[in-house]
Amino acid sequence: MSPTLRHGDAVLVRRGGRPVRPGDVVVAVFRSRPELLVVKRAVRPQEGGWWLHGDNALVTDDSRAYGVADVLGRVVLRYWPRPGRLATTPI
């Protein structure tokens, strides 16, 4: 998710609340890799789940490789080491 998030960033995740929208940063599990917990950007709803992409277009460890994901929650805040809200970027 670089440049939005970097390895080691601590984030606050909200389960429930408002529905996920395209552009939200989410925590999810790919249906084809249920042991892999990921932080990606929601692109569009698809087949009862979500199609996800990372912010780094050169890395394809997202729905392009693993398919549809089930979203567990929305990332609403990075609280360490650089506190701040995460911007919703249109895809």
Side-chain angles (χ1 to χ4, degrees):
M1 283 300 296
S2 181
T4 305
L5 294 172
R6 293 187 175 89
H7 183 74
D9 285 357
V11 296
L12 178 66
V13 177
R14 175 145 191 204
R15 296 181 74 146
R18 76 161 171 78
V20 174
R21 299 179 195 154
D24 285 347
V25 176
V26 298
V27 174
V29 176
F30 290 109
R31 293 177 183 173
S32 63
R33 298 275 315 270
E35 74 285 356
L36 182 64
L37 186 67
V38 297
V39 177
K40 300 289 178 190
R41 195 170 296 277
V43 176
R44 66 181 177 273
Q46 184 169 330
E47 300 171 15
W50 279 87
W51 192 260
L52 307 178
H53 279 183
D55 284 355
N56 185 344
L58 299 176
V59 178
T60 60
D61 65 339
D62 51 26
S63 289
R64 293 172 284 183
Y66 302 123
V68 177
D70 295 315
V71 171
L72 304 176
R74 288 183 305 111
V75 176
V76 293
L77 176 71
R78 176 184 46 238
Y79 64 88
W80 192 85
R82 303 171 321 275
R85 291 211 174 271
L86 299 182
T88 301
T89 304
I91 304 278

